[in-house]
């Protein structure tokens, strides 16, 4: 057991108002490029992955997922873009706008395609929310895709680099999956000479997960050559990594840390928790954090006017 009470925190903020002013009162796109800092201490399980989900609610139209990712934090990193420390006490910090951090991934430029860089997360644009129901590539159906319990690879779905693709899906890094939450109709202002303010909410949900063997096999410091059983591999990883114990490692999909331990919520399937269950249990589990950031868009439709100036350059003689 750890020496103190387990705790975790996350900090994110949003700007107050984004103003667009033009003749028609139209807003063509709303984006977010978040920076965030998640840290935890005194856990009984080591954290080796940080899953996060970003959802948006545009003008009260309802929550829609727009991006998901699961950074692997198998080793300590501290550079100009991220700070990550795995273990029972650790952190994951995106120091710069998320798109800049994502674009440091070598897989965006490995020649295997599509090699398309990441941009800010699209909340709303003129294309709008993708018609997910038209897809046939779901491993376990549409509902499992939308609740996060069965995703498959991001390459199964149209990418942000494709015409009409999911605006926030980046198959290069196997992250994103989703598109915008809405089109911009709820944001536009058709009334001449007026302002229209619309509230936009972003919900960030984090799940702290245990490391698994698949993830650890990619670390240069861990060599599973010649090992045939899961127990041998777990022992090897624990011997090589000082932040890790054998009991921390999952052989299959990574589970949420401290499932059912020390009064934390006990999930029947701790390696496949639906989004709504994560959000509903954010106050009941130390490994789940959920926070909402709110900002406004203001569409200013400039007042109409007309007139004529010039000269006929007449002359009489």
């Amino acid at each position: 057991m750890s020496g103190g009470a387990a705790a975790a925190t996350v900090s994110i903020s949003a700007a107050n108002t984004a103003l667009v002013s033009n003749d028609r009162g139209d807003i063509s796109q709303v984006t977010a490029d978040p920076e965030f800092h998640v840290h935890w201490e005194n856990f009984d399980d080591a954290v080796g992955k940080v899953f996060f989900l970003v959802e948006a609610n545009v003008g009260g139209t309802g929550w829609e997922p727009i991006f998901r990712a699961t950074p692997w934090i198998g080793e300590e990193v501290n550079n100009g873009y991220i700070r990550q420390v795995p273990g029972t006490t650790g952190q994951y910090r995106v120091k710069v706008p998320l798109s800049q951090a994502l674009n440091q991934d070598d897989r965006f430029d490995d020649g295997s395609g599509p090699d398309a860089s990441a941009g800010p997360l699209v909340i709303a644009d003129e294309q709008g929310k993708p018609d997910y129901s038209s897809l046939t590539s779901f491993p376990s159906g549409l509902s499992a895709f939308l609740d996060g319990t069965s995703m498959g690879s991001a390459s199964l779905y149209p990418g942000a680099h494709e015409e009409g693709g999911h605006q926030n899906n980046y198959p290069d890094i196997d992250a994103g999956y989703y598109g915008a939450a809405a089109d911009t109709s709820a944001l536009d202002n058709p009334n001449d000479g007026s302002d229209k303010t619309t509230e936009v909410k972003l919900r960030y949900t984090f799940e702290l997960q245990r490391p698994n063997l698949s993830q650890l096999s990619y670390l240069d410091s861990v060599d599973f050559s010649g090992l045939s059983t899961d127990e041998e591999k777990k022992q090897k990883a624990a011997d090589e990594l000082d932040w890790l114990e054998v009991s921390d490692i999952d052989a299959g999909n990574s589970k949420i840390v401290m499932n059912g331990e020390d009064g934390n919520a006990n999930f029947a399937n701790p390696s496949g928790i639906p989004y709504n269950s994560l959000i509903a249990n954010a106050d009941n589990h130390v490994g789940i954090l959920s926070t909402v950031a709110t900002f406004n868009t203001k569409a200013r439709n400039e007042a109409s006017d007309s007139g004529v100036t010039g000269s006929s350059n007449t002359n009489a003689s």
Side-chain angles (χ1 to χ4, degrees):
M1 298 291 290
S2 301
T9 60
V10 61
S11 57
I12 308 174
S13 62
N16 288 330
T17 301
L19 171 65
V20 174
S21 179
N22 57 42
D23 292 344
R24 297 180 182 273
D26 292 342
I27 292 178
S28 61
Q29 187 181 71
V30 178
T31 64
D33 215 357
E35 302 171 34
F36 53 82
H37 187 192
V38 184
H39 55 93
W40 56 92
E41 60 183 5
N42 301 323
F43 279 18
D44 294 338
D45 290 342
V47 176
K49 297 180 181 179
V50 178
F51 165 81
F52 67 94
L53 168 71
V54 184
E55 299 168 283
N57 185 338
V58 179
T61 55
W63 291 107
E64 296 288 347
I66 64 170
F67 184 85
R68 61 172 279 157
T70 309
W72 294 357
I73 56 170
E75 54 192 356
E76 188 166 343
V77 173
N78 188 15
N79 55 35
Y81 302 94
I82 63 170
R83 173 76 166 125
Q84 64 180 43
V85 180
T88 55
T89 293
Q91 61 177 299
Y92 183 75
R93 179 186 175 194
V94 177
K95 300 180 179 181
V96 296
L98 179 62
S99 65
Q100 295 181 30
L102 294 176
N103 283 325
Q104 303 314 303
D105 196 307
D106 293 339
R107 290 175 291 175
F108 274 123
D109 193 28
D110 62 5
S112 64
D115 294 342
S117 61
L121 302 182
V122 178
I123 299 169
D125 66 3
E126 294 176 342
Q127 175 184 325
K129 176 185 170 182
D131 180 12
Y132 299 123
S133 64
S134 66
L135 300 177
T136 59
S137 52
F138 305 114
S140 302
L142 175 59
S143 61
F145 171 77
L146 293 175
D147 72 12
T149 53
S150 181
M151 307 298 297
S153 169
S155 62
L156 293 173
Y157 312 104
H161 62 286
E162 299 177 62
E163 183 70 26
H166 298 182
Q167 296 96 319
N168 303 313
N169 185 35
Y170 298 105
D172 281 304
I173 58 172
D174 204 25
Y177 289 86
Y178 300 111
D183 61 23
T184 57
S185 59
L187 309 172
D188 293 340
N189 177 16
N191 299 317
D192 218 27
S194 67
D195 290 348
K196 177 184 176 181
T197 300
T198 305
E199 184 178 75
V200 178
K201 295 183 178 182
L202 294 171
R203 181 163 63 194
Y204 300 88
T205 301
F206 298 83
E207 178 197 352
L208 305 180
Q209 298 180 353
R210 293 155 50 94
N212 68 352
L213 288 177
S214 175
Q215 161 197 2
L216 298 173
S217 70
Y218 286 92
L219 296 178
D220 293 337
S221 57
V222 179
D223 184 3
F224 290 153
S225 299
L227 303 180
S228 57
T229 69
D230 290 344
E231 290 309 311
E232 288 176 318
K233 294 174 182 178
K234 288 181 180 181
Q235 187 62 61
K236 176 68 171 179
D239 290 343
E240 297 295 335
L241 301 170
D242 59 9
W243 59 271
L244 195 58
E245 295 182 1
V246 169
S247 60
D248 294 325
I249 307 169
D250 291 322
N253 294 332
S254 290
K255 301 173 183 176
I256 191 171
V257 296
M258 298 177 65
N259 186 50
E261 300 176 12
D262 297 350
N264 288 293
N266 189 0
F267 296 98
N269 182 9
S271 63
I273 306 171
Y275 298 153
N276 60 354
S277 294
L278 286 173
I279 295 161
N281 285 281
D283 293 332
N284 304 322
H285 199 295
V286 71
I288 304 171
L289 304 101
S290 190
T291 185
V292 175
T294 301
F295 66 99
N296 293 322
T297 65
K298 181 182 288 187
R300 176 167 294 165
N301 190 327
E302 300 288 358
S304 298
D305 193 12
S306 63
V308 61
T309 61
S311 174
S312 297
N313 294 317
T314 60
N315 189 29
S317 61

